[in-house]
Amino acid sequence: EGRFELLAPESPVLGTEVRALSADRDGRVWVGARGGLAIIDGDAIAERTTGPWLTTEGVLAICRGRDERMWVAPAVGLWRSDGGELESVPHVGAPYPAGRVWAVLEDSQGGVWIGAENRGLFRLHEGRLEQVADGGRLVDAIALYEDPQGSLWVGGFGSGLHRFRAGPFVSWSAAEGLSGDQVRVVCGSRRGGVWISTYGNGLDYFENGHVTTYTAADGLPTGNVGALLEDRQGRLWVGASEGIAYLDESGRFVTQDFPKDLVYGGVRSMLEDSRGNFWFGTRSQGVFRLGPDGTRQFHVADGLSSDVARGGLLELDDGAILVGTDAGVNLSRGDEVAVLGPEQGVPAGLILC
């Protein structure tokens, strides 16, 4: 039935905040925490809690590159690993200040981009990390997406939508038709455009300079849209603070009606697995799994480490699902579900991916 089992108490080593999950080419899981880095390889765990790369903020983002390198973003600079020790990437220009990293992306050409709090956008260029000149328009680069044409789309929390394509930034804001300037999520579409959620204002579809805004009048669940997913059929799924829905062929959203015994909580992450199940991590009511066999909710009463599952949904190569909560990492493999804790080398605490 998929019952969660807590295997270990809180970690005294890595602290309470875990922010990043990623799997490398060998199937190992990299966990970024305030206290350092944990690498899970089956039953073996390697912890890295000291080094010149570690500050009080710890590891903020992890990205697996196309060349199979692992890119690690702590509060200061960018680091890379070929599976061994972390190597610092030199930077040019002004010193790279400490602070929160919102997003890391490797593009189709092997370039690495970092969205940072109050610092805009950085990229790895010719072996060096440099800040991208944007004319002062972009401040908090909270979301990154590369489209099939190689354009980089950047969501700015307070500065709207930005596109970088081998030249100057082009920016759009509420003045140009967006529903708001506080962009939270950017998601590519098979139709050729991008989907954008804006804080408190709804959902936009942007293509060729034209903006289409969806609201509750189109069936969009009310509240803030915290997660977007385009599934294998090309349907857009929306996770909002007041519901889950997908966009049908008529252009209206179809809200998912959960059984009355399931208590809904605002969605912050979504995943479609290889078996056709949809997973939804919520901010207050655990995790939902929606699939051919029906809907199932996992929460603390079922052994889940926390009902706050705000991020970190990841399918491993063997089909297992990792779920990140504010109290650790949860693993689902078939009908066997467990909480990975300090006995396995995984820190307890907040996971935001």
Side-chain angles (χ1 to χ4, degrees):
E1 291 294 325
R3 180 174 176 80
F4 287 88
E5 179 183 359
L6 182 62
L7 300 181
E10 292 187 0
S11 169
V13 178
L14 296 183
T16 60
E17 291 189 35
V18 177
R19 299 191 182 99
L21 291 174
S22 186
D24 66 18
R25 62 188 174 193
D26 298 319
R28 300 180 302 174
V29 178
W30 293 54
V31 181
R34 178 180 288 275
L37 182 69
I39 303 175
I40 309 169
D41 186 3
D43 294 329
I45 304 295
E47 292 183 333
R48 303 179 184 183
T49 59
T50 61
W53 51 275
L54 187 62
T55 69
T56 56
E57 284 291 329
V59 176
L60 299 165
I62 301 174
C63 173
R64 175 180 172 179
R66 298 177 190 274
D67 61 358
E68 304 299 345
R69 286 181 177 179
M70 299 300 291
W71 298 92
V72 178
V76 178
L78 178 67
W79 299 72
R80 60 191 167 206
S81 172
D82 291 316
E85 295 301 316
L86 293 174
E87 174 189 1
S88 176
V89 177
H91 72 271
V92 295
Y96 190 96
R100 186 178 297 272
V101 172
W102 291 119
V104 178
L105 177 142
E106 185 183 38
D107 64 28
S108 57
Q109 303 301 312
V112 178
W113 302 79
I114 298 176
E117 182 180 30
N118 297 323
R119 294 168 288 162
L121 188 67
F122 290 78
R123 68 172 174 177
L124 183 64
H125 181 65
E126 296 181 350
R128 293 178 178 271
L129 192 65
E130 63 182 19
Q131 190 169 20
V132 179
D134 60 11
R137 295 186 298 272
L138 180 59
V139 181
D140 282 353
I142 196 170
L144 302 175
Y145 165 70
E146 183 191 17
D147 67 22
Q149 290 72 44
S151 296
L152 179 74
W153 296 85
V154 184
F157 196 73
S159 60
L161 180 68
H162 312 265
R163 186 189 67 198
F164 183 79
R165 180 186 294 168
F169 272 92
V170 179
S171 301
W172 296 269
S173 65
E176 286 78 39
L178 294 185
S179 57
D181 290 336
Q182 294 180 315
V183 175
R184 299 188 65 181
V185 185
V186 179
C187 175
S189 171
R190 297 182 188 182
R191 294 158 53 182
V194 293
W195 294 98
I196 310 138
S197 73
T198 59
Y199 187 77
N201 294 295
L203 178 71
D204 298 330
Y205 179 71
F206 183 89
E207 185 175 6
N208 297 325
H210 178 71
V211 181
T212 301
T213 298
Y214 294 83
T215 65
D218 305 293
L220 184 71
T222 58
N224 294 317
V225 175
L228 299 173
L229 171 71
E230 191 168 270
D231 67 18
R232 294 184 180 90
Q233 300 181 44
R235 297 179 302 181
L236 178 76
W237 289 77
V238 171
S241 55
E242 300 297 334
I244 299 170
Y246 67 85
L247 188 64
D248 67 11
E249 295 180 353
S250 71
R252 287 193 58 82
F253 282 93
V254 178
T255 300
Q256 299 301 293
D257 294 324
F258 294 115
K260 292 182 179 180
D261 59 334
L262 299 184
V263 180
Y264 175 77
V267 171
R268 297 299 299 271
S269 58
M270 294 190 288
L271 170 73
E272 179 186 16
D273 69 24
S274 57
R275 298 175 296 278
N277 295 308
F278 291 91
W279 296 76
F280 306 95
T282 75
R283 65 182 181 183
S284 63
Q285 295 298 329
V287 178
F288 287 80
R289 183 182 65 202
L290 174 65
D293 297 329
T295 304
R296 172 68 190 273
Q297 182 180 14
F298 301 97
H299 45 70
V300 169
D302 300 298
L304 189 68
S305 56
S306 171
D307 282 340
V308 184
R310 291 188 272 180
L313 289 171
L314 175 70
E315 182 175 15
L316 304 183
D317 292 340
D318 64 357
I321 305 296
L322 284 177
V323 180
T325 76
D326 71 339
V329 182
N330 303 264
L331 178 67
S332 171
R333 180 177 283 111
D335 291 332
E336 299 295 326
V337 184
V339 175
L340 302 180
E343 290 183 357
Q344 292 77 38
V346 181
L350 176 66
I351 296 174
L352 294 173
C353 300

